[in-house]
Amino acid sequence: MKTFIHGLILLLTLLPLTATAQKNTLTQELRKNTEGEGSVVIVMDDALERIINNTPLPKPATKPASTHNDNSAKNHGESHSASVDSKTYKPGSRKRYKTSGYRIRIFTGGNSKKDKEQAQKVGEKCRKQFPELSVYTHFVSPRWVCTVGDFKTMEDAKKYITPIRSARITYEVRVVKSEVFLVE
C-alpha cells in the first residue's frame, strides 16, 4: 500500500513536467523524422489541423467597409434551390426543421444519365409553374426521382395534385411519404 501511494505521488509530480516539456502538437509529433523509423506525410487544411491539435483560431483581420452593393456574397448560401424557396426564404428570417411529412413525386426513372437529365428537366418545368414549391431531384438507388413540396399532412399535398396534373408537366403525379423541411 505504501509503495502504491509513493508511486502515485511520483506520477502526480512528474505529470506536469512532461506536459510542459512537450511543446509539439500531435501532427508535429507525427511529422517528426527519427532514425530507423518510417516517415509520415500529412496533407490537410489548416482549419482541420487546428481542430485536431486543439489550437485556437487566429484573430480575423478587420476588413474595410465595402462601398459597392454585392449581392453575390449574400446569395452564396442560397445556391441550393432544392431546399430553399428563393421567393419566400430570406437568410436568417425563418428557422426550418426536418420532420416526417409528404412530398409529391413527379418523376421516377432509371439509373442512366438520360434519366437524370429528364428528372432535372421535369423539376425545372415544375419550378417555373409552381415557384412556391421546393424541387428535389435525387438518386434513390436504383433510380432517379424528382419530388416537389414540403407538406405536413397528406391533405396539404393533395391540394397540389390537380393543379400539377392540369399543367401537364408529367404523367406521374402522386403523394409519397418523405422527410420534409418545414418552417417554424
Side-chain angles (χ1 to χ4, degrees), residues 109-128:
N111 61 359
S112 68
K113 186 175 181 179
K114 181 181 175 187
D115 290 320
K116 176 183 179 180
E117 292 167 356
Q118 191 173 359
Q120 290 171 338
K121 188 190 302 184
V122 168
E124 282 302 314
K125 280 184 189 178
C126 189
R127 183 177 287 126
K128 287 178 185 175

Side-chain angles (χ1 to χ4, degrees), residues 9-53:
I9 292 172
L10 181 64
L11 179 67
L12 291 175
T13 56
L14 291 178
L15 188 62
L17 293 175
T18 58
T20 56
Q22 181 184 8
K23 295 192 180 193
N24 289 343
T25 62
L26 175 66
T27 53
Q28 289 171 339
E29 282 294 319
L30 289 173
R31 288 183 178 126
K32 189 169 44 173
N33 288 332
T34 55
E35 187 67 32
E37 292 183 8
S39 62
V40 176
V41 177
I42 301 173
V43 180
M44 71 174 83
D45 188 45
D46 291 336
L48 182 60
E49 189 162 349
R50 281 194 301 271
I51 291 169
I52 291 172
N53 294 325

Side-chain angles (χ1 to χ4, degrees), residues 51-96:
I51 291 169
I52 291 172
N53 294 325
N54 198 20
T55 56
L57 291 171
K59 293 186 178 182
T62 57
K63 61 179 187 176
S66 177
T67 56
H68 65 285
N69 250 346
D70 185 15
N71 289 335
S72 64
K74 292 179 186 173
N75 295 334
H76 180 68
E78 295 182 320
S79 63
H80 183 59
S81 61
S83 63
V84 177
D85 185 4
S86 62
K87 293 195 177 218
T88 59
Y89 177 75
K90 292 182 180 116
S93 65
R94 296 181 184 180
K95 290 187 178 179
R96 295 163 47 106

